[in-house]
Amino acid sequence: MTLESRETNRGWFRPAFSILLLTVALPIAATAVVSGKSSVEKMLTNMVQPLFLAIVAGLVFGVILSRRGERGIGWMLACGACVVWILSSHLFVSALMRAWESSVPNASQPIQEPFDYLIVLGGGTNIAPDGRAQFGAAGDRAGYAARLFLNGKTRRLVTTGDTLTVTGTLAGAYQQQDDPSQQTKKIWMELGIPEDVISELAGQNTSSEMASLKNHPEYWQDKRCAILTSAFHLPRAMQLAAQAGIPATPIAADYRGGSGPLTVNQFIPEAEELMKLQYIIKEWIGMQIGR
């Protein structure tokens, strides 16, 4: 092997080794010392996911290309990987999510006097393969509302949500049980909440739900009314309620910000964190356009 070939091999090996040492070996060693075997196993699971592998590959090839003289594309690749790493780390996204979720004042304050109506926005339920209604990712919306009723914090519950209207060849594919409001009502009744204290409200998105609520002043006019939804969704929901002239108290459920002690695992990128970031971006855009 010629001297030039050896130098070329070292040019590939050294940056790859350094990147792997910093991004893989060092975090694993630190986690093993600080948190133990269980945390190491969790970290290893995250490290074999496509997102982490793609980021590390981007860093390695970015540095290699830069060393080979292709600085422009090399730095773009490496910097892009670093940005994605930061944007998909639990530490960054959770801090951003907590700030977003806390932007509605008093949304998590204890309820002193029972509400006349609690409006629970749909989106927290779906249908299992066996046809039963079940809690979804945002199931704390319906679950927390049920707890509030059973604890005497509200006299009546209003659940919202219809399925999107489908026309053409898919028309008729949806049934009444596909409506989020129907699913929520069924779960509430199975939990022992009387049917006569539950009302349903139409709406295929937050904007149309508020339009429907505006047309039912008996739920909020001269009443103690509250709107309950996921904490990340609450800022936009309350903005739309204000635009519709609906006075209501905000109640937050389904917090996504997370809490707890700082760990090395929180620095590792995860696809789930990108999804949380997507929620914030979607809500922000909705607030800018008033929808």
Side-chain angles (χ1 to χ4, degrees):
M1 182 179 290
T2 65
L3 179 61
E4 184 179 353
S5 297
R6 291 194 188 99
E7 288 298 324
T8 300
N9 288 338
R10 281 197 290 268
W12 283 78
F13 177 76
R14 287 175 180 173
F17 179 78
S18 299
I19 295 295
L20 292 174
L21 182 65
L22 290 172
T23 61
V24 178
L26 188 60
I28 290 175
T31 299
V33 172
V34 175
S35 304
K37 179 181 177 181
S38 296
S39 293
V40 170
E41 291 173 347
K42 180 179 179 181
M43 178 173 287
L44 287 171
T45 301
N46 290 336
M47 285 181 171
V48 298
Q49 299 302 317
L51 176 63
F52 183 83
L53 295 176
I55 291 173
V56 173
L59 289 170
V60 170
F61 285 111
V63 172
I64 290 174
L65 290 171
S66 296
R67 288 174 63 92
R68 290 179 58 184
E70 300 178 57
R71 296 182 181 276
I73 188 171
W75 278 107
M76 286 179 60
L77 191 58
C79 290
C82 289
V83 169
V84 175
W85 184 303
I86 293 170
L87 294 179
S88 58
S89 68
H90 178 83
L91 186 69
F92 172 80
V93 176
S94 286
L96 186 64
M97 181 65 83
R98 284 194 298 271
W100 180 267
E101 290 178 332
S102 64
S103 62
V104 178
N106 304 317
S108 60
Q109 295 298 312
I111 300 170
Q112 304 298 334
E113 182 182 348
F115 292 104
D116 297 309
Y117 287 89
L118 178 61
I119 316 299
V120 184
L121 300 189
T125 59
N126 53 51
I127 294 293
D130 61 2
R132 64 183 177 85
Q134 66 177 9
F135 291 125
D140 191 48
R141 297 185 189 185
Y144 187 36
R147 290 166 60 187
L148 290 177
F149 176 84
L150 295 173
N151 287 325
K153 299 301 182 180
T154 183
R155 297 182 178 90
R156 297 187 63 90
L157 294 168
V158 180
T159 173
T160 73
D162 299 328
T163 51
L164 294 176
T165 302
V166 180
T167 59
T169 58
L170 294 179
Y174 291 103
Q175 303 176 10
Q176 190 177 28
Q177 67 177 11
D178 295 309
D179 290 348
S181 58
Q182 281 286 318
Q183 297 162 8
T184 303
K185 180 178 179 180
K186 185 175 182 179
I187 291 174
W188 283 346
M189 291 173 61
E190 289 174 354
L191 292 174
I193 298 176
E195 184 176 7
D196 60 1
V197 303
I198 303 173
S199 301
E200 296 176 62
L201 198 63
Q204 297 177 354
N205 55 34
T206 310
S207 181
S208 61
E209 286 171 334
M210 291 304 164
S212 294
L213 183 57
K214 183 178 181 180
N215 292 328
H216 287 273
E218 67 273 16
Y219 296 153
W220 50 268
Q221 196 169 66
D222 300 323
K223 301 285 196 311
R224 273 183 52 78
C225 172
I227 293 175
L228 183 152
T229 188
S230 298
F232 73 84
H233 180 50
L234 197 57
R236 181 160 66 98
M238 296 312 298
Q239 175 181 289
L240 291 173
Q243 290 175 358
I246 300 168
T249 299
I251 298 182
D254 180 36
Y255 282 91
R256 305 291 179 93
S259 60
L262 181 66
T263 65
V264 180
N265 270 311
Q266 294 181 15
F267 292 89
I268 303 301
E270 295 185 52
E272 181 182 355
E273 301 304 322
L274 285 178
M275 185 175 294
K276 292 179 183 178
L277 188 62
Q278 179 178 301
Y279 291 151
I280 297 175
I281 294 172
K282 175 185 175 183
E283 294 298 313
W284 182 83
I285 291 174
M287 293 181 70
Q288 302 313 303
I289 63 177
R291 300 293 295 174

